[in-house]
Amino acid sequence: MKDMLERLEERRAQARLGGGEKRIEAQHARGKLTARERIELLLDKGSFEEFDMFVEHRSTDFGMDKAKIPGDGVVTGWGTVNGRTIFVFAKDFTVFGGSLSEAHAQKITKIQDMALKMRAPIVGLFDAGGARIQEGVAALGGYGEVFKRNVIASGVIPQISVIMGPCAGGDVYSPAMTDFIFMVRDRSYMFVTGPDVVKTVTNETVTSEELGGAKVHTTKSSVADGAYDNDVEALLQVRRLIDFLPANNMDGVPEIPSFDEPNRTDDSLDTLIPDNPNKPYDMKELILKVVDEADFFEIQEAYAKNIITGFGRVEGRTVGFVANQPMVLAGVLDADASRKAARFVRFCDAFNIPIVTFEDVPGFLPGTAQEYGGLIKHGAKLLFAYSEATVPLVTVITRKAFGGAYDVMASKHIGGDVNYAWPTAQIAVMGAKGAVEIIFRQDIGDAEKIAARTKEYEDRFMSPFVAAERGYIDEVIMPHSTRRRIARALAMLRHKETERPWKKHDNIPL
Ligand code: HXC
C-alpha cells in the first residue's frame, strides 16, 4: 500500500513538472509564471482541485509516440474566488508550447461542460501556439468542440480569457467568443497568424508586438478589454472582476456588505458642470462619487475613451455604468464608442446587471470617415442594445442630450425606467448655434438678430424643462443627491419584470 501511495506521489510530482525544469526556467526568464503558479494566484489559497493530471495525447505521427507528457499542455480544474466556485483551465506553454491536441481539447471541454452544468464562471489562462501541428485535423476538431461550447455557454455563465503569452490560431478564436479578454503587457500577443506567416503571405515585416500586442488590442482593434503589467497584476484584477459578476444568468448580482451610506450626498457635484457649456469636465469623477467606496472596474478603458463602461456597486450590488466622457471628443458618439457600449450593455442585460447611464453627448460624429466606417450600423448597435434590454435602466442627463444620441442613451422612449436630469441639462435636437443657423438662415448676415435668436433658442430649449414638461424626464434632481436618487431608483426597480414577444433570437445589426 505504502508503495502505491509513493508511486502516486511520484506520478503527481512528474505531472506537476510539465515540460521539465529547463522549460520552466525559460518560462520564468521570459517574465511569465507557469500554468500552476497562475492558477494558485487566481484562486483562493489551497482551493484548487485538479482534474485529468495524467491525461496524455494519443498521437503517433512525427515521433509523438515517444513524446508524451502527463497533462498534455493544459492544467484544468475548479476552485474558489473569495469563496465563490469557478472553473479554470490554464495552458502550459512548457508542454508542446501549450498547443492543443485532441486529448488536450477533451480536458478543456470537460471543464466547460462542468462549468455550464454547475452554472459557474469559467476562466481560461492562455499561453499557447494553437492547434498541435503534429495532430492535424484531430486538433482542429478539438478546437471546434471548444468553440461550440463557448457559444452555448455565452449569456449563461460569464467566460473570461486572460492572454499571458504568445497566442495564435484557435487560442485567439476561443477567447474572442468569451465575455472579457485581458492581456499582459509586453509578454502576450494575439494573432490569427504570426509575423512569419504574415511575411510570407503579404510581404509585411512586423513584430509580434506590432501585430498583436496588448497596446494594439486595447487601443486599436478593441479585441482586448484591459491590459496589465505582469501576470500577478492581471490575475488579481480578474479576481476583482469576478467579485462584480453574477455566477450565471439566473442567480442575480452578488451582494457584498457596503459600508458606504446610500443616502450620502456630495456637494462638490453641484459645481462639476463648468459655466461654459463647451468646457469639458471629467465624467469619471461623477461615477467615482456615486459608486460604493469609489470602487469602479473599467472595461475597455483605453479604447473609444469618449464613452466609459464599467462595473461599480450601489448598496453593495453590482451596477453597470455607461457614461459619455466630455473630456474626449466632447463625449460624441462615434462608431467605436457605440460598438464598445453596445457590447457592454448586452453583457449587463444577459446577466441581469442593472445599468446606470450618465449622459452628456453632443450627438453622433459627422463626416465621411464615420459614414464610410458604418456609423449607421454601429450607432444602431447601441440603440438596439438599450432597446432590447430588460434590466433596470436609470439615466441621468448631466448636460447635453442632443439629437439621435438623446434617444439612444437609454431615453424614456426606448425603455429607460427612471430618467433624471440635472438642472444643467440641455435636451434638444442640436446646439443653439447650429439650430439658429438652420432655422433663421435668412438672418445670418445680421449678427445682432442672430444673437437674439440664439438667446431665444437657448432660453427655450437649452434646459431640462421642455422634456420634463412632457414627462420624458421623471424629475430634475440636484447633482449633490445623485447617489441617493440612483440608489432609491435601483431599489424600487429590483423586481422589474418586462414581457417581450417570443422569438428565436433578435437580429442585432452586426
Ligand atoms: C506543436 C508547438 C506549436 C504547435 C509551438 N510549439 N507551437 N508544437 N504545435 N502549434 C512548440 C515548439 O515546437 C517548441 O517546442 C515550443 O512549443 C515553444 O515554441 P517556440 O516556437 O520555441 O516558442 P516562441 O519562440 O515563444 O514562439 C511561440 C509561438 C510559435 C509564436 C506560439 O511557437 C508559433 O508560431 N507556433 C505556431 C503557431 C501556429 O501557427 N499554430 C497553428 C495555428 S492554426 P520545444 O520542444 O522546442 O520546446 C490553429 C487552428 C485553429 O490553431 C483554427 C481555428 C479557427
Side-chain angles (χ1 to χ4, degrees), residues 23 30 32 64 93-100 127-135 139-140 143-144 147 166-174 189 191-197 208:
R23 287 198 180 87
R30 287 172 170 161
K32 300 193 292 181
M64 287 301 277
F93 192 78
T94 69
V95 178
F96 310 118
S99 59
L100 179 138
D127 185 357
R132 176 112 19 109
I133 294 165
Q134 296 90 332
E135 286 210 8
L140 295 183
Y143 267 125
F147 298 155
C167 286
D171 287 311
V172 298
Y173 271 115
S174 174
Y189 313 104
F191 27 68
V192 177
T193 52
D196 296 345
V197 180
S208 291

Side-chain angles (χ1 to χ4, degrees), residues 14 73 94 99 169 176 227 286 331 353 355 450 463 465 474:
Q14 194 207 347
T94 69
S99 59
L286 172 57
I353 300 172
I355 300 166
I450 287 288
S463 83
F465 295 105
D474 296 301

Side-chain angles (χ1 to χ4, degrees), residues 256-284:
I256 65 162
S258 166
F259 303 99
D260 199 351
E261 175 55 42
N263 287 329
R264 170 172 58 75
T265 57
D266 193 323
D267 290 339
S268 69
L269 292 178
D270 290 341
T271 51
L272 181 66
I273 307 293
D275 291 336
N276 177 348
N278 296 321
K279 237 178 120 187
Y281 61 94
D282 190 357
M283 190 64 100
K284 265 186 212 169

